[in-house]
Coordinates of all heavy atoms in Angstrom, one line a residue:
M1 N 0.6 22.8 -16.3 CA 0.3 23.0 -17.7 C -0.6 21.8 -18.0 O -0.3 20.6 -17.8 CB 1.5 23.0 -18.5 CG 1.2 23.1 -20.0 SD 2.5 23.5 -21.1 CE 3.9 22.5 -20.5
S2 N -1.7 22.1 -18.8 CA -2.7 21.1 -19.2 C -3.1 21.4 -20.6 O -3.4 22.5 -21.0 CB -3.9 21.1 -18.2 OG -4.9 20.2 -18.7
D3 N -3.1 20.3 -21.3 CA -3.6 20.4 -22.7 C -4.7 19.4 -22.8 O -4.5 18.2 -22.6 CB -2.6 20.1 -23.8 CG -1.4 21.1 -23.8 OD1 -1.8 22.3 -23.6 OD2 -0.2 20.6 -23.8
E4 N -5.9 19.7 -23.4 CA -7.0 18.8 -23.7 C -7.0 18.6 -25.2 O -6.9 19.5 -25.9 CB -8.2 19.3 -23.1 CG -8.3 19.4 -21.6 CD -9.7 19.7 -21.1 OE1 -10.7 19.2 -21.6 OE2 -9.8 20.4 -20.0
Y5 N -7.2 17.3 -25.5 CA -7.3 17.0 -26.9 C -8.4 15.9 -27.0 O -8.4 15.0 -26.2 CB -6.0 16.5 -27.5 CG -5.4 15.3 -26.7 CD1 -5.7 14.0 -27.2 CD2 -4.6 15.5 -25.6 CE1 -5.1 12.9 -26.4 CE2 -4.1 14.4 -24.9 CZ -4.4 13.1 -25.3 OH -4.0 12.1 -24.6
D6 N -9.3 16.1 -28.0 CA -10.5 15.2 -28.1 C -11.0 15.1 -26.7 O -11.4 16.0 -26.1 CB -10.1 13.8 -28.7 CG -9.7 14.0 -30.1 OD1 -10.2 14.8 -30.8 OD2 -8.8 13.1 -30.6
E7 N -10.9 13.9 -26.1 CA -11.4 13.7 -24.7 C -10.2 13.6 -23.8 O -10.4 13.7 -22.5 CB -12.2 12.4 -24.6 CG -13.6 12.6 -25.0 CD -14.5 11.4 -24.5 OE1 -14.4 11.1 -23.2 OE2 -15.3 10.9 -25.3
G8 N -9.0 13.4 -24.3 CA -7.8 13.1 -23.4 C -7.3 14.3 -22.8 O -7.7 15.5 -23.2
I9 N -6.4 14.2 -21.8 CA -5.7 15.3 -21.2 C -4.3 15.0 -21.0 O -3.9 13.9 -20.7 CB -6.3 15.5 -19.8 CG1 -7.9 15.9 -19.9 CG2 -5.7 16.6 -19.1 CD1 -8.6 15.9 -18.6
N10 N -3.4 16.0 -21.2 CA -2.0 15.9 -20.9 C -1.6 16.9 -19.9 O -2.1 18.1 -20.0 CB -1.1 16.1 -22.1 CG -0.8 15.0 -22.9 OD1 -1.3 13.8 -22.7 ND2 0.1 15.0 -23.8
E11 N -0.8 16.6 -18.9 CA -0.3 17.5 -17.9 C 1.1 17.3 -17.5 O 1.5 16.1 -17.4 CB -1.2 17.5 -16.7 CG -2.6 18.0 -16.7 CD -3.3 18.2 -15.5 OE1 -2.7 18.1 -14.4 OE2 -4.5 18.4 -15.6
Y12 N 1.8 18.3 -17.6 CA 3.3 18.2 -17.1 C 3.5 18.8 -15.7 O 3.2 19.9 -15.5 CB 4.1 19.0 -18.2 CG 5.6 18.7 -18.0 CD1 6.2 17.6 -18.4 CD2 6.4 19.7 -17.3 CE1 7.5 17.4 -18.3 CE2 7.8 19.5 -17.2 CZ 8.4 18.3 -17.6 OH 9.6 18.1 -17.4
K13 N 3.8 17.9 -14.8 CA 4.0 18.3 -13.5 C 5.2 17.6 -12.9 O 5.4 16.4 -13.1 CB 2.8 17.9 -12.7 CG 1.6 18.7 -12.9 CD 0.5 18.4 -11.9 CE -0.8 19.2 -12.2 NZ -1.8 18.9 -11.3
N14 N 6.0 18.3 -12.1 CA 7.1 17.7 -11.3 C 8.1 16.9 -12.2 O 8.5 15.9 -11.8 CB 6.6 16.8 -10.1 CG 5.6 17.5 -9.2 OD1 5.9 18.7 -8.9 ND2 4.5 16.9 -8.8
G15 N 8.2 17.3 -13.4 CA 9.2 16.6 -14.3 C 8.7 15.5 -15.0 O 9.3 14.7 -15.7
Y16 N 7.4 15.2 -14.9 CA 6.7 14.1 -15.5 C 5.6 14.5 -16.4 O 4.9 15.4 -16.2 CB 6.2 13.0 -14.5 CG 7.2 12.4 -13.6 CD1 7.4 13.0 -12.3 CD2 7.8 11.3 -14.0 CE1 8.3 12.3 -11.5 CE2 8.9 10.7 -13.2 CZ 9.0 11.2 -12.0 OH 10.0 10.6 -11.2
D17 N 5.4 13.8 -17.6 CA 4.4 14.0 -18.5 C 3.2 13.0 -18.2 O 3.3 11.9 -18.4 CB 4.9 13.8 -19.8 CG 3.9 14.3 -20.9 OD1 2.9 14.8 -20.6 OD2 4.2 14.2 -22.1
F18 N 2.1 13.5 -17.6 CA 1.0 12.7 -17.3 C 0.0 12.9 -18.3 O -0.2 13.9 -18.8 CB 0.4 13.1 -15.8 CG 1.3 12.9 -14.7 CD1 2.1 13.9 -14.3 CD2 1.2 11.8 -14.0 CE1 2.9 13.9 -13.1 CE2 2.0 11.5 -12.8 CZ 2.9 12.6 -12.5
Y19 N -0.7 11.7 -18.6 CA -1.7 11.8 -19.6 C -2.9 10.8 -19.2 O -2.6 9.8 -18.6 CB -1.3 11.6 -21.0 CG -0.7 10.2 -21.3 CD1 -1.5 9.3 -21.9 CD2 0.6 9.9 -21.0 CE1 -1.0 8.0 -22.1 CE2 1.1 8.7 -21.3 CZ 0.3 7.7 -21.8 OH 0.8 6.5 -22.1
K20 N -4.1 11.1 -19.9 CA -5.0 10.0 -19.8 C -5.9 10.2 -21.0 O -6.0 11.3 -21.5 CB -5.9 10.1 -18.4 CG -6.5 11.4 -18.0 CD -7.2 11.2 -16.7 CE -7.6 12.6 -16.1 NZ -8.4 12.4 -14.8
D21 N -6.5 9.0 -21.4 CA -7.2 9.0 -22.7 C -8.6 9.7 -22.6 O -9.1 10.1 -23.6 CB -7.4 7.6 -23.2 CG -6.0 7.0 -23.5 OD1 -5.1 7.7 -23.9 OD2 -5.9 5.8 -23.4
S22 N -9.1 9.7 -21.5 CA -10.5 10.3 -21.3 C -10.5 11.1 -20.0 O -9.9 10.7 -18.9 CB -11.5 9.3 -21.2 OG -12.7 9.7 -20.8
A23 N -11.2 12.3 -19.9 CA -11.4 13.0 -18.7 C -12.1 12.3 -17.6 O -12.0 12.5 -16.4 CB -12.0 14.3 -19.0
K24 N -12.8 11.1 -18.0 CA -13.6 10.4 -17.1 C -12.7 9.4 -16.3 O -13.0 8.9 -15.3 CB -14.6 9.5 -17.9 CG -15.6 10.4 -18.5 CD -16.5 9.6 -19.4 CE -17.5 10.5 -20.2 NZ -18.3 9.7 -21.2
N25 N -11.5 9.1 -16.8 CA -10.5 8.2 -16.1 C -10.0 8.8 -14.8 O -9.8 9.9 -14.8 CB -9.4 7.8 -17.0 CG -9.8 6.9 -18.2 OD1 -11.0 6.5 -18.3 ND2 -8.8 6.6 -19.0
Q26 N -9.7 8.0 -13.9 CA -9.1 8.4 -12.7 C -7.6 8.2 -12.7 O -7.0 8.8 -11.8 CB -9.8 7.7 -11.4 CG -11.2 8.0 -11.3 CD -11.9 7.3 -10.1 OE1 -11.3 6.8 -9.4 NE2 -13.2 7.4 -10.1
I27 N -7.1 7.3 -13.5 CA -5.8 6.9 -13.5 C -5.0 7.8 -14.6 O -5.4 7.7 -15.7 CB -5.5 5.4 -13.7 CG1 -6.1 4.6 -12.7 CG2 -4.1 5.1 -14.0 CD1 -6.2 3.1 -12.9
W28 N -3.9 8.3 -14.1 CA -2.9 9.0 -15.0 C -1.9 8.1 -15.4 O -1.4 7.4 -14.6 CB -2.4 10.2 -14.3 CG -3.3 11.4 -14.0 CD1 -4.0 11.6 -12.9 CD2 -3.7 12.5 -14.9 NE1 -4.8 12.6 -13.0 CE2 -4.5 13.2 -14.2 CE3 -3.2 12.8 -16.1 CZ2 -5.1 14.5 -14.8 CZ3 -3.7 14.0 -16.7 CH2 -4.6 14.8 -16.1
Q29 N -1.6 8.1 -16.7 CA -0.4 7.3 -17.2 C 0.7 8.2 -17.3 O 0.6 9.4 -17.4 CB -0.7 6.7 -18.6 CG -1.9 5.7 -18.5 CD -2.2 5.1 -19.8 OE1 -1.3 4.6 -20.6 NE2 -3.4 5.3 -20.3
V30 N 1.9 7.7 -17.0 CA 3.2 8.5 -17.1 C 3.9 8.2 -18.2 O 4.3 7.0 -18.5 CB 4.1 8.4 -15.8 CG1 5.3 9.2 -15.8 CG2 3.1 8.6 -14.5
E31 N 4.2 9.1 -19.2 CA 4.9 8.9 -20.3 C 6.4 8.5 -20.0 O 7.0 9.1 -19.2 CB 5.0 10.2 -21.3 CG 5.7 10.0 -22.5 CD 4.9 9.0 -23.5 OE1 3.8 9.3 -23.8 OE2 5.7 8.0 -23.8
T32 N 6.9 7.5 -20.6 CA 8.2 7.0 -20.5 C 9.1 7.2 -21.7 O 10.3 6.8 -21.6 CB 8.2 5.4 -20.1 OG1 7.6 4.7 -21.1 CG2 7.6 5.3 -18.7
Y33 N 8.6 7.7 -22.7 CA 9.4 8.0 -24.0 C 10.3 6.9 -24.4 O 11.5 6.9 -24.1 CB 10.2 9.3 -23.8 CG 9.3 10.5 -23.6 CD1 9.2 11.0 -22.2 CD2 8.5 11.0 -24.5 CE1 8.3 12.1 -22.0 CE2 7.6 12.1 -24.3 CZ 7.6 12.6 -23.1 OH 6.7 13.7 -22.8
G34 N 9.8 6.0 -25.0 CA 10.6 4.8 -25.5 C 9.7 3.6 -25.5 O 8.7 3.5 -24.9
K35 N 10.3 2.7 -26.3 CA 9.6 1.3 -26.3 C 10.0 0.5 -25.2 O 11.1 0.5 -24.7 CB 9.8 0.7 -27.7 CG 9.4 1.5 -28.9 CD 9.5 0.8 -30.2 CE 9.0 1.7 -31.3 NZ 9.1 1.1 -32.6
G36 N 9.1 -0.4 -24.9 CA 9.4 -1.3 -23.7 C 9.4 -0.6 -22.5 O 8.7 0.4 -22.3
G37 N 10.1 -0.9 -21.5 CA 10.2 -0.2 -20.2 C 9.1 -0.5 -19.3 O 8.0 -1.2 -19.6
P38 N 8.9 0.3 -18.2 CA 7.9 0.1 -17.3 C 6.6 0.7 -17.7 O 6.5 1.7 -18.5 CB 8.4 0.8 -16.0 CG 9.3 1.9 -16.5 CD 9.9 1.2 -17.8
Y39 N 5.5 0.3 -17.1 CA 4.1 1.0 -17.3 C 4.0 1.7 -16.1 O 3.7 1.1 -14.9 CB 3.0 -0.1 -17.5 CG 1.7 0.5 -17.5 CD1 1.2 1.2 -18.7 CD2 0.9 0.5 -16.4 CE1 0.0 1.9 -18.7 CE2 -0.4 1.1 -16.5 CZ -0.7 1.7 -17.6 OH -2.0 2.3 -17.6
L40 N 4.1 3.0 -16.0 CA 3.9 3.9 -14.8 C 2.6 4.6 -14.8 O 2.1 4.9 -15.9 CB 5.1 4.9 -14.8 CG 6.5 4.4 -14.9 CD1 7.5 5.5 -14.9 CD2 6.7 3.4 -13.8
F41 N 2.0 4.7 -13.6 CA 0.6 5.3 -13.5 C 0.6 5.9 -12.2 O 1.3 5.6 -11.2 CB -0.5 4.3 -13.7 CG -0.5 3.2 -12.8 CD1 -1.3 3.2 -11.7 CD2 0.3 2.1 -12.9 CE1 -1.3 2.2 -10.8 CE2 0.3 0.9 -12.0 CZ -0.5 1.1 -11.0
S42 N -0.4 6.8 -12.1 CA -0.6 7.5 -10.9 C -2.1 7.9 -10.7 O -2.8 8.1 -11.7 CB 0.2 8.9 -10.8 OG 0.0 9.6 -9.7
F43 N -2.6 7.9 -9.4 CA -3.9 8.4 -9.1 C -3.9 9.9 -8.8 O -5.0 10.5 -9.0 CB -4.5 7.6 -7.9 CG -4.7 6.2 -8.3 CD1 -3.7 5.2 -8.0 CD2 -5.8 5.7 -8.9 CE1 -3.8 3.8 -8.4 CE2 -6.0 4.4 -9.2 CZ -5.0 3.4 -8.9
D44 N -2.9 10.5 -8.3 CA -2.8 11.8 -7.8 C -1.8 12.7 -8.4 O -1.6 13.8 -8.0 CB -2.8 11.9 -6.3 CG -1.6 11.2 -5.8 OD1 -0.6 10.8 -6.6 OD2 -1.4 11.0 -4.6
Q45 N -1.0 12.2 -9.4 CA 0.2 12.8 -9.9 C 1.2 13.2 -9.0 O 2.1 14.0 -9.3 CB -0.2 14.1 -10.7 CG -1.2 13.9 -11.9 CD -1.6 15.0 -12.6 OE1 -1.5 16.2 -12.2 NE2 -1.9 14.9 -13.9
K46 N 1.2 12.5 -7.7 CA 2.2 12.7 -6.8 C 2.9 11.3 -6.7 O 4.2 11.2 -6.7 CB 1.7 13.3 -5.5 CG 1.3 14.5 -5.6 CD 0.6 15.1 -4.4 CE 0.0 16.5 -4.5 NZ -0.9 16.8 -3.5
T47 N 2.3 10.4 -6.4 CA 2.7 8.9 -6.2 C 2.7 8.2 -7.4 O 1.6 8.2 -8.1 CB 1.9 8.2 -5.1 OG1 2.0 8.9 -3.9 CG2 2.4 6.8 -4.9
I48 N 3.8 7.8 -7.9 CA 3.8 7.1 -9.2 C 4.1 5.6 -8.9 O 5.0 5.2 -8.2 CB 5.0 7.6 -10.2 CG1 4.7 9.1 -10.5 CG2 5.1 6.8 -11.4 CD1 5.8 9.8 -11.2
F49 N 3.3 4.7 -9.5 CA 3.4 3.3 -9.4 C 3.9 2.7 -10.7 O 3.6 3.1 -11.8 CB 2.0 2.6 -9.1 CG 1.4 3.1 -7.8 CD1 0.5 4.1 -7.7 CD2 1.8 2.5 -6.6 CE1 -0.2 4.5 -6.6 CE2 1.2 3.0 -5.3 CZ 0.3 3.9 -5.4
N50 N 4.7 1.6 -10.5 CA 5.2 0.8 -11.6 C 4.4 -0.5 -11.6 O 4.3 -1.2 -10.7 CB 6.6 0.4 -11.4 CG 7.1 -0.5 -12.6 OD1 6.4 -1.3 -13.2 ND2 8.4 -0.3 -12.9
F51 N 3.5 -0.7 -12.7 CA 2.6 -1.9 -12.8 C 3.4 -3.2 -12.4 O 2.9 -4.0 -11.6 CB 2.0 -2.0 -14.1 CG 1.1 -3.2 -14.3 CD1 -0.1 -3.4 -13.7 CD2 1.6 -4.2 -15.1 CE1 -0.7 -4.6 -13.8 CE2 1.0 -5.5 -15.2 CZ -0.2 -5.6 -14.6
W52 N 4.6 -3.3 -13.0 CA 5.3 -4.6 -12.8 C 5.8 -4.9 -11.5 O 5.9 -6.0 -11.0 CB 6.3 -4.7 -13.9 CG 5.8 -4.6 -15.3 CD1 5.8 -3.6 -16.1 CD2 4.9 -5.6 -16.0 NE1 5.1 -3.9 -17.3 CE2 4.6 -5.1 -17.1 CE3 4.5 -6.8 -15.5 CZ2 3.8 -5.8 -18.1 CZ3 3.7 -7.6 -16.5 CH2 3.3 -7.1 -17.6
T53 N 6.1 -3.9 -10.7 CA 6.8 -4.1 -9.3 C 5.9 -3.7 -8.3 O 6.0 -4.1 -7.1 CB 8.1 -3.2 -9.3 OG1 7.7 -1.8 -9.5 CG2 9.1 -3.6 -10.3
D54 N 4.8 -2.8 -8.5 CA 3.9 -2.3 -7.4 C 2.6 -2.8 -7.3 O 1.9 -2.9 -6.3 CB 3.8 -0.8 -7.5 CG 5.2 -0.1 -7.3 OD1 6.1 -0.8 -6.8 OD2 5.4 1.0 -7.9
Y55 N 2.1 -3.4 -8.5 CA 0.6 -3.9 -8.6 C 0.5 -5.3 -8.2 O 1.3 -6.1 -8.7 CB 0.0 -3.7 -10.0 CG -1.4 -4.1 -10.0 CD1 -2.4 -3.2 -9.8 CD2 -1.7 -5.4 -10.5 CE1 -3.7 -3.6 -9.9 CE2 -3.0 -5.7 -10.6 CZ -4.0 -4.9 -10.3 OH -5.4 -5.3 -10.4
P56 N -0.4 -5.7 -7.3 CA -1.3 -4.9 -6.6 C -0.9 -4.6 -5.1 O -1.5 -3.9 -4.5 CB -2.6 -5.8 -6.5 CG -1.9 -7.2 -6.4 CD -0.6 -7.1 -7.3
E57 N 0.4 -5.0 -4.7 CA 0.7 -4.9 -3.4 C 0.9 -3.6 -2.7 O 0.5 -3.4 -1.6 CB 2.2 -5.6 -3.2 CG 2.3 -7.1 -3.5 CD 2.3 -7.5 -5.0 OE1 2.6 -6.5 -5.8 OE2 2.3 -8.6 -5.3
K58 N 1.2 -2.6 -3.6 CA 1.3 -1.2 -3.0 C 0.2 -0.3 -3.2 O 0.2 0.8 -2.9 CB 2.5 -0.6 -3.6 CG 3.9 -1.3 -3.1 CD 5.1 -0.6 -3.7 CE 6.3 -1.3 -3.3 NZ 7.6 -0.7 -3.8
L59 N -1.0 -0.9 -3.7 CA -2.2 -0.1 -4.0 C -3.2 -0.4 -2.9 O -3.2 -1.5 -2.4 CB -2.8 -0.5 -5.3 CG -2.3 0.3 -6.6 CD1 -0.8 -0.1 -6.8 CD2 -3.0 0.0 -7.8
S60 N -4.0 0.5 -2.6 CA -5.1 0.3 -1.7 C -6.2 -0.6 -2.3 O -6.3 -0.6 -3.6 CB -5.7 1.7 -1.2 OG -6.5 2.3 -2.3
P61 N -7.1 -1.1 -1.6 CA -8.2 -1.9 -2.2 C -9.0 -1.0 -3.2 O -9.4 -1.6 -4.2 CB -9.1 -2.4 -1.0 CG -8.0 -2.5 0.1 CD -7.1 -1.3 -0.2
E62 N -9.3 0.3 -2.9 CA -10.0 1.1 -3.7 C -9.2 1.3 -5.0 O -9.8 1.4 -6.2 CB -10.3 2.4 -3.1 CG -11.1 3.4 -4.0 CD -11.2 4.7 -3.3 OE1 -11.1 4.8 -2.0 OE2 -11.5 5.7 -4.0
Q63 N -8.0 1.5 -5.0 CA -7.0 1.7 -6.2 C -7.1 0.5 -7.0 O -7.1 0.7 -8.2 CB -5.6 2.2 -5.8 CG -5.5 3.6 -5.1 CD -4.2 3.9 -4.6 OE1 -3.5 2.9 -4.0 NE2 -3.8 5.1 -4.7
I64 N -7.0 -0.7 -6.4 CA -7.0 -1.9 -7.1 C -8.3 -2.0 -8.0 O -8.2 -2.4 -9.2 CB -6.8 -3.1 -6.3 CG1 -5.4 -3.1 -5.7 CG2 -7.1 -4.4 -6.9 CD1 -5.2 -4.1 -4.6
E65 N -9.4 -1.7 -7.4 CA -10.7 -1.7 -8.1 C -10.8 -0.8 -9.3 O -11.2 -1.1 -10.4 CB -11.9 -1.5 -7.2 CG -12.1 -2.7 -6.2 CD -12.3 -4.0 -6.9 OE1 -13.1 -4.1 -7.8 OE2 -11.6 -4.9 -6.5
I66 N -10.3 0.5 -9.1 CA -10.3 1.4 -10.1 C -9.3 1.0 -11.3 O -9.7 1.1 -12.4 CB -9.8 2.8 -9.6 CG1 -10.7 3.4 -8.6 CG2 -9.5 3.8 -10.7 CD1 -10.3 4.6 -7.8
F67 N -8.3 0.4 -10.8 CA -7.2 -0.1 -11.9 C -7.9 -1.2 -12.7 O -7.8 -1.3 -13.9 CB -5.9 -0.6 -11.2 CG -4.9 -0.8 -12.3 CD1 -4.0 0.1 -12.6 CD2 -4.8 -2.1 -12.9 CE1 -3.0 -0.2 -13.6 CE2 -3.8 -2.4 -13.9 CZ -2.9 -1.4 -14.1
K68 N -8.5 -2.2 -12.0 CA -9.2 -3.2 -12.7 C -10.3 -2.7 -13.6 O -10.4 -3.3 -14.8 CB -9.8 -4.2 -11.8 CG -8.8 -5.1 -11.0 CD -9.5 -6.0 -10.0 CE -8.6 -7.0 -9.4 NZ -9.2 -7.9 -8.5
K69 N -11.0 -1.7 -13.4 CA -12.1 -1.1 -14.1 C -11.5 -0.4 -15.4 O -12.0 -0.5 -16.5 CB -12.8 -0.1 -13.3 CG -13.9 0.5 -14.0 CD -14.8 1.5 -13.3 CE -15.8 2.2 -14.0 NZ -16.4 3.3 -13.4
E70 N -10.4 0.4 -15.2 CA -9.8 1.1 -16.3 C -8.8 0.3 -17.1 O -8.5 0.7 -18.3 CB -9.2 2.4 -15.8 CG -10.3 3.4 -15.2 CD -9.8 4.7 -14.8 OE1 -8.6 5.1 -15.2 OE2 -10.4 5.4 -14.1
N71 N -8.2 -0.7 -16.5 CA -7.2 -1.5 -17.2 C -7.4 -3.0 -17.1 O -6.5 -3.7 -16.5 CB -5.8 -1.0 -16.7 CG -5.4 0.4 -17.0 OD1 -5.2 0.7 -18.1 ND2 -5.4 1.2 -16.0
P72 N -8.5 -3.5 -17.5 CA -8.8 -4.9 -17.3 C -7.8 -5.9 -17.9 O -7.6 -6.9 -17.2 CB -10.3 -5.1 -17.8 CG -10.4 -3.9 -18.8 CD -9.5 -2.9 -18.3
V73 N -7.2 -5.6 -19.0 CA -6.3 -6.5 -19.6 C -5.1 -6.6 -18.8 O -4.6 -7.6 -18.6 CB -6.1 -6.1 -21.1 CG1 -5.0 -6.9 -21.8 CG2 -7.4 -6.1 -22.0
L74 N -4.5 -5.3 -18.4 CA -3.4 -5.5 -17.7 C -3.5 -6.2 -16.3 O -2.8 -6.9 -15.8 CB -2.8 -4.0 -17.3 CG -1.9 -3.4 -18.4 CD1 -1.6 -2.0 -18.0 CD2 -0.7 -4.3 -18.5
A75 N -4.7 -5.9 -15.7 CA -5.0 -6.4 -14.3 C -5.1 -8.0 -14.4 O -4.6 -8.6 -13.5 CB -6.4 -5.8 -13.8
E76 N -5.6 -8.5 -15.6 CA -5.6 -9.9 -15.7 C -4.2 -10.6 -15.7 O -4.0 -11.8 -15.5 CB -6.4 -10.3 -17.0 CG -7.8 -10.1 -16.9 CD -8.5 -11.1 -15.8 OE1 -8.1 -12.3 -15.9 OE2 -9.4 -10.7 -15.1
L77 N -3.2 -9.7 -16.1 CA -1.8 -10.3 -16.2 C -1.2 -10.7 -14.8 O -0.4 -11.5 -14.7 CB -0.9 -9.3 -16.8 CG -1.1 -9.1 -18.3 CD1 -0.2 -8.0 -18.8 CD2 -1.0 -10.4 -19.2
K78 N -1.8 -10.1 -13.7 CA -1.3 -10.3 -12.4 C -2.5 -10.4 -11.5 O -3.0 -9.5 -10.9 CB -0.6 -9.0 -11.9 CG 0.7 -8.9 -12.7 CD 1.6 -7.8 -12.2 CE 2.4 -8.2 -11.0 NZ 3.2 -7.1 -10.4
P79 N -3.0 -11.7 -11.4 CA -4.2 -11.9 -10.5 C -4.0 -11.7 -9.1 O -3.0 -11.6 -8.5 CB -4.4 -13.5 -10.7 CG -3.3 -14.0 -11.4 CD -2.4 -12.8 -11.9

């Protein structure tokens, strides 16, 4: 299921609510419904990464570059 709003997109797959603010983005964010908690994201809506435990060690060099481009503020938190 996919819903487009303004430029953003929401998709519900495999029990997760994926969204991105712009159709141009390559990274899907995963809704965690609540304050605080992990920042979850995915490139393919199959593998879900946790920024705090997986970045950058579990990402490929290409994924790291995409993440830095789309989330520069977060990427600066973990050099």
Side-chain angles (χ1 to χ4, degrees):
M1 175 170 38
S2 177
D3 296 319
E4 293 193 33
Y5 57 95
D6 295 328
E7 278 197 45
I9 300 173
N10 266 13
E11 292 191 10
Y12 186 78
K13 290 185 178 178
N14 303 322
Y16 293 99
D17 189 4
F18 294 94
Y19 67 95
K20 52 185 175 177
D21 297 328
S22 170
K24 297 175 187 173
N25 288 359
Q26 294 180 13
I27 297 175
W28 291 91
Q29 296 178 54
V30 181
E31 183 62 61
T32 55
Y33 298 107
K35 295 183 179 184
Y39 175 77
L40 304 178
F41 62 97
S42 178
F43 292 90
D44 59 7
Q45 295 184 337
K46 294 177 185 165
T47 303
I48 296 174
F49 296 101
N50 179 330
F51 172 75
W52 300 108
T53 60
D54 300 334
Y55 181 86
E57 294 84 9
K58 294 184 180 177
L59 277 65
S60 71
E62 179 183 340
Q63 289 172 326
I64 292 169
E65 288 306 312
I66 293 168
F67 191 92
K68 286 180 178 180
K69 179 181 174 191
E70 293 187 13
N71 297 288
V73 174
L74 275 177
E76 285 292 318
L77 294 176
K78 294 181 80 179

